[in-house]
Amino acid sequence: MKLVLASKNEKKLVEMNDILSHLGIEVCSEAEAGVDLEVEETGTTFEENSMLKAKAVMEASGLPAIADDSGLCVDCLNGAPGVYSARYGGEGLSDEQRYRMLLENMRGQMPRTAKFVSVITCCFPNGDALSARGECPGTIAYAPMGEGGFGYDPVFFVPELKKTFAQLTAEEKNAISHRGIALKLFREQLERYLSGSESDPGKSVGVTGIIRGEDQ
Ligand code: IMP
């Protein structure tokens, strides 16, 4: 099965394929599907933005499309940058400039607890949609550590492992990350959906769920 990823983030594409490939699911880029969309993320929740992106790319490509809307929520900043993580500090900043600004904005503030959130949405051409949310708790380090990953990985510290996300291997990160958790839940839903064994399709999407086309 082939899903188009509603994103231009190469790192997300790699993480998705790492987690979904052994299910026989191939995630391809928008470019491979002949789509070049800039979807405006006008929602105020991860769920809304994830749905906006997946739906737009599904409609443009005519293929099932999967989107991840994710971000970092920091407790002492009242949940910021949250859904605005990719745009924190304005357009045109590098990942490093963004996480350095985050460290600056948190200077002297407590607690340093935070969580990464990922909401995966998959939209099918028949109007059905699957949605799954994953969260990963951690703290914000005082200085960046590690070279791996992307985005805020160098400053997202996992106390149990005593490492930042950027110090983990891809396998280690995928095993505990928000995206890894959301994709595992999504994978279970997709298996039930494809086998037709979903007993209660549900009228709404809660933490995870299926929306039937006729309900939208
Ligand atoms: P999106 O593409 O609108 O979902 O933006 C997500 C943003 O959140 C990314 O650009 C990163 O800044 C941040 N983010 C999401 N997931 C991760 C992750 O796994 N590691 C580091 N940063 C992440």
Side-chain angles (χ1 to χ4, degrees):
M1 179 177 201
K2 195 165 178 164
L3 304 176
V4 185
L5 176 63
S7 171
K8 296 194 173 57
N9 185 330
E10 284 292 324
K11 300 276 171 75
K12 280 190 187 177
L13 186 65
V14 171
E15 286 190 10
M16 291 219 178
N17 273 311
D18 279 350
I19 296 169
L20 296 175
S21 63
H22 42 268
L23 256 197
I25 298 168
E26 184 201 339
V27 185
C28 76
S29 65
E30 287 181 22
E32 281 172 77
V35 171
D36 183 15
L37 281 186
E38 216 47 74
V39 182
E40 235 194 301
E41 297 185 25
T42 51
T44 54
T45 64
F46 294 109
E47 279 77 6
E48 281 177 86
N49 284 335
S50 189
M51 176 63 85
L52 279 174
K53 291 189 275 190
K55 198 159 184 274
V57 171
M58 178 275 289
E59 283 169 355
S61 65
L63 295 168
I66 186 170
D68 157 271
D69 197 63
S70 49
L72 178 65
C73 305
V74 179
D75 290 331
C76 67
L77 300 179
N78 295 319
V83 291
Y84 306 105
S85 294
R87 294 165 270 169
Y88 191 51
E91 305 290 335
L93 295 191
S94 66
D95 282 353
E96 182 176 349
Q97 287 171 316
R98 277 187 225 288
Y99 69 64
R100 289 207 179 273
M101 198 183 72
L102 178 77
L103 295 181
E104 196 52 42
N105 292 344
M106 287 179 68
R107 193 188 282 260
Q109 304 230 48
M110 291 295 268
R112 297 186 73 87
T113 47
K115 66 180 177 186
F116 263 126
V117 178
S118 161
V119 174
I120 300 290
T121 304
C122 182
C123 287
F124 297 92
N126 68 357
D128 289 351
L130 305 179
S131 169
R133 182 185 180 104
E135 298 190 357
C136 179
T139 63
I140 303 302
Y142 287 91
M145 289 180 287
E147 305 293 328
F150 67 99
Y152 299 88
D153 280 351
V155 296
F156 188 76
F157 187 77
V158 185
E160 292 74 27
L161 302 178
K162 296 189 172 55
K163 285 180 181 173
T164 66
F165 264 5
Q167 292 175 304
L168 302 179
T169 64
E171 291 72 34
E172 287 170 331
K173 180 181 171 187
N174 291 341
I176 58 164
S177 79
H178 49 311
R179 191 167 301 101
I181 293 166
L183 281 170
K184 270 171 221 135
L185 290 170
F186 164 69
R187 198 170 69 185
E188 289 164 17
Q189 274 182 33
L190 183 64
E191 282 174 312
R192 284 201 301 276
Y193 175 74
L194 293 176
S195 70
S197 65
E198 185 62 41
S199 54
D200 177 14
K203 295 281 180 211
S204 64
V205 188
V207 172
T208 68
I210 296 177
I211 316 172
R212 295 289 179 196
E214 63 268 22
D215 295 331
Q216 291 183 72

